[in-house]
Amino acid sequence: MNKRHPAYIVGFMVGLAALFGTAVTGLNLATRPIVERNEKLVRQEALVRLFRLGDPAQLTAAEVVGLVQRRIDESRTLRDPETGWETPLIQAYADDARTQLVGYAVRFRGLGFWAPIEGLIAVSADRQKTIGIVILSHSETPGLGGRIVEPVFMDQFAAGIRVLPVVDGKALYLTASPPEPGSPTYGRNLHAITGATQTCLAMERILNEHLTRFQRAMAAATPAVAARKDGGA
Amino acid sequence: MSFKNSASGTALLKNLWQDNPVFRQVLGICSTLAVTNLVLNTLLMCGGLIFATALTSLTVSLLRDYTPKQVRMMVQVLIAAAYVIVVDIAIRAFFPEVHKVIGPYVGLIITNCIIMGRAEAYACKNPPLPSFCDGLGAGIGYSLVLLSIAVVREVAGFGTLLGFTLPRLDLWWHQWTILVMPPGAFFMLALVAWLANSFVVKPANTGGAK
């Protein structure tokens, strides 16, 4: 066995790559159903949390699935007439009969400081205020940009940031300190987090982009969709 | 012969302190700087690194008689990458919440110099068990330094430990935000390396090669 022979070297590398490649691929395939189930459940829990339909920590997986099936409607698609942007319209109801509309959610995705940030932002049934946000995935630095998933940032959306009217493509404003009452940004501001400034700026840009399209699309929506915002079935 | 005096014991124990990968060999500095602002992230990163380093060293050692010298580093990277992917898949499947926290960093373990450093410096020349212990020791030694830095940074910077707010700390301590930002990691690493090299670790014998 001559280890310096090119045929040996190539054969060794091919064999080793095949061995490890097969092992890793096999493990990936074996765990794929679990991963897909987890991802689906994570999204459903996110919807429950987003619209405050219940506490996912207190619910079983089956209860979360049932709640989403009964109270979340994702059957409609929104289209922004200006940009052609299309997105599923997520509508949540407070009751199983789907008579009381809690609000709408729109999926957002955009470039953070390092990589895409993906999530859902929810607004009230009258589309005036945010009612929550969830980050489904991000690759920001843990402890720095990654702090956007912490309550100190997320709770601002649950508390309600006014997002109408949209002015010059801005539905909300990132500020370093709270604006004075009476200023144009009062009640429409989002506080940045120390150490996550660039990620917060990215979030402001991503959310403004998506909320602008969403509001425009809703304004131009078919009467059937528009009727939903008033709680019509 | 006790375990402490065996090749495996020596390989394990030397890496914990005397030849610590971070402050003696200056390896794995990037992640030392990156993940140490929260203790939980540090713990999870350390767990992944210990697993990947120990098993990579073991596998490199098992294959050392068959590995062509010209491609040994490619082989080491391939093995390290495979183990890191195994860690990533396992965490994603069985600990999805944990994956959300450290997912961005798991892939980066492949590039951690400690894995390649120990494979190249030790595992490719030594038997499997001592190599495994060497990788394990390097991983634990790295973890000790990272955790000591992370505890100081999280407590002083956020006023929390493992995410829990420390009671009454805010009455007398004003959080040092700089410590949780990148410059804070440089300060802390320099401080730890200085303390360790000046006061704790005995100077290496520089009397020439034996």
Side-chain angles (χ1 to χ4, degrees):
Chain A
M1 182 173 65
N2 179 8
K3 286 200 290 180
R4 298 173 71 97
H5 195 281
Y8 177 86
I9 294 173
V10 171
F12 182 83
M13 283 308 296
V14 169
L16 200 67
L19 178 73
F20 280 99
T22 306
V24 167
T25 307
L27 185 65
N28 191 36
L29 287 175
T31 55
R32 185 179 285 177
I34 303 172
V35 172
E36 285 174 355
R37 199 170 57 231
N38 288 342
E39 284 173 353
K40 195 173 174 191
L41 187 62
V42 163
R43 187 176 182 279
Q44 288 173 326
E45 285 179 348
L47 285 170
V48 169
R49 208 166 32 245
L50 183 65
F51 291 110
R52 282 174 268 180
L53 301 177
D55 180 4
Q58 307 293 326
L59 300 171
T60 64
E63 286 171 334
V64 169
V65 172
L67 204 53
V68 169
Q69 280 173 350
R70 293 193 307 275
R71 301 210 187 158
I72 303 281
D73 178 6
E74 296 186 67
S75 61
R76 292 163 194 275
T77 303
L78 265 188
R79 188 173 186 279
D80 175 15
E82 211 170 295
T83 61
W85 171 79
E86 284 194 356
T87 188
L89 176 65
I90 303 170
Q91 299 172 106
Y93 296 88
D95 58 331
D96 290 354
R98 296 190 175 185
T99 56
Q100 297 172 42
L101 186 65
V102 176
Y104 304 100
V106 62
R107 193 179 192 106
F108 64 83
R109 182 184 161 87
L111 187 63
F113 186 59
W114 295 115
I117 299 173
E118 202 173 333
L120 296 163
I121 181 159
V123 296
S124 55
D126 59 6
R127 295 186 279 124
Q128 291 289 330
K129 283 187 170 189
T130 60
I131 55 173
I133 191 170
V134 285
I135 307 288
L136 295 171
S137 72
H138 75 88
S139 299
E140 302 302 291
T141 312
L144 295 174
R147 295 189 67 205
I148 55 166
V149 299
E150 291 181 9
V152 66
F153 188 73
M154 310 281 277
D155 287 353
Q156 299 181 72
F157 295 90
I161 300 169
R162 198 154 46 82
V163 288
L164 269 181
V166 176
V167 182
D168 295 331
K170 285 213 160 193
L172 48 81
Y173 300 83
L174 188 75
T175 58
S177 53
E180 293 295 322
S183 77
T185 56
Y186 184 71
R188 310 192 60 175
N189 66 302
L190 177 65
H191 293 280
I193 308 177
T194 305
T197 310
Q198 291 303 318
T199 306
C200 290
L201 282 167
M203 283 295 289
E204 181 199 30
R205 173 178 42 77
I206 296 165
L207 292 175
N208 275 328
E209 218 169 81
H210 286 77
L211 285 169
T212 303
R213 290 175 189 163
F214 166 74
Q215 297 288 17
R216 209 161 41 210
M218 283 299 285
T222 60
V225 172
R228 293 250 167 187
K229 74 181 179 190
D230 302 321
Chain B
M1 188 170 61
S2 65
F3 175 75
K4 193 179 170 186
N5 296 323
S6 67
S8 302
T10 308
L12 177 72
L13 297 173
K14 271 184 84 174
N15 279 310
L16 296 186
W17 196 251
Q18 196 68 34
D19 286 343
N20 186 285
V22 181
F23 60 75
R24 295 294 284 179
Q25 301 176 50
V26 199
L27 296 175
I29 297 301
C30 314
S31 54
T32 304
L33 299 173
V35 299
T36 53
N37 56 4
L38 290 173
V39 176
L40 180 63
N41 295 347
T42 309
L43 269 174
L44 297 166
M45 180 73 173
C46 291
L49 187 106
I50 291 170
F51 174 86
T53 311
L55 290 182
T56 300
S57 287
L58 175 70
T59 312
V60 166
S61 175
L62 284 169
L63 293 172
R64 71 188 188 285
D65 292 336
Y66 309 99
T67 307
K69 201 176 160 191
Q70 298 90 327
V71 293
R72 69 186 190 287
M73 295 187 87
M74 283 168 66
V75 171
Q76 290 161 8
V77 171
L78 178 71
I79 294 167
Y83 283 121
V84 171
I85 294 170
V86 167
V87 171
D88 188 52
I89 292 173
I91 296 177
R92 187 182 301 168
F94 303 110
F95 305 99
E97 289 302 315
V98 173
H99 193 267
K100 259 171 45 181
V101 180
I102 62 158
Y105 280 122
V106 174
L108 290 180
I109 295 174
I110 298 170
T111 62
N112 193 306
C113 337
I114 295 175
I115 301 181
M116 284 289 285
R118 297 322 299 163
E120 182 65 8
Y122 194 91
C124 66
K125 303 170 203 144
N126 288 284
L129 185 59
S131 297
F132 176 79
C133 291
D134 180 77
L136 191 67
I140 297 171
Y142 164 88
S143 305
L144 291 175
V145 177
L146 257 68
L147 285 171
S148 60
I149 293 175
V151 167
V152 175
R153 289 184 74 194
E154 184 175 340
V155 170
F158 289 125
T160 61
L161 188 60
L162 283 166
F164 296 104
T165 304
L166 294 174
R168 308 182 74 83
L169 184 70
D170 58 334
L171 297 178
W172 59 276
W173 180 257
H174 184 73
Q175 293 170 11
W176 288 6
T177 308
I178 185 101
L179 270 185
V180 295
M181 298 175 78
F186 281 100
F187 296 147
M188 282 305 302
L189 178 62
L191 194 64
V192 168
W194 170 62
L195 285 172
N197 287 311
S198 301
F199 300 110
V200 186
V201 179
K202 291 174 192 164
N205 183 1
T206 52
K210 288 179 182 174

